[in-house]
Amino acid sequence: MTAPGRAPRDWLLATTAGYLPTGAPDALLTPDHLALMAVLAVWEWHGPGAPTPESIADRQALRDALDRISINGDTRAEYAARLRLAAKGAVL
């Protein structure tokens, strides 16, 4: 996408959710896989170039949001469903 400015939080959550189940939806989600998918979501908005103040802030905001949604042994697909709910404003 490579858009200027900050990415909306709901967009970051929904985009991360879209990446999570790709390839192995029934695999258990690991913190490392979640972190990688979050980076991809930020890159989709800002592009994969050198970090900007906006991309750094979005990455931190997304990390903070994901830290509040425990993995709890979820599969990638289960966690993605929870992220989609959070993106719509549901309190998890």
Side-chain angles (χ1 to χ4, degrees):
M1 176 182 266
T2 311
R6 299 281 309 271
R9 180 179 165 271
D10 61 334
W11 186 92
L12 287 169
L13 290 171
T15 302
T16 302
Y19 282 123
L20 281 174
T22 306
D26 295 327
L28 290 179
L29 179 62
T30 65
D32 288 341
H33 185 74
L34 179 58
L36 176 61
M37 298 303 106
V39 168
L40 293 178
V42 171
W43 280 0
E44 187 170 330
W45 184 271
H46 293 283
T52 64
E54 292 85 2
S55 70
I56 293 167
D58 282 344
R59 190 168 177 188
Q60 185 60 53
L62 181 54
R63 204 171 16 238
D64 291 345
L66 294 174
D67 284 348
R68 290 191 292 276
I69 305 169
S70 303
I71 293 174
N72 295 333
D74 288 344
T75 66
R76 293 173 184 183
E78 291 167 340
Y79 193 84
R82 292 175 55 216
L83 281 188
R84 286 186 190 95
L85 288 174
K88 293 177 182 176
V91 178
L92 304 175

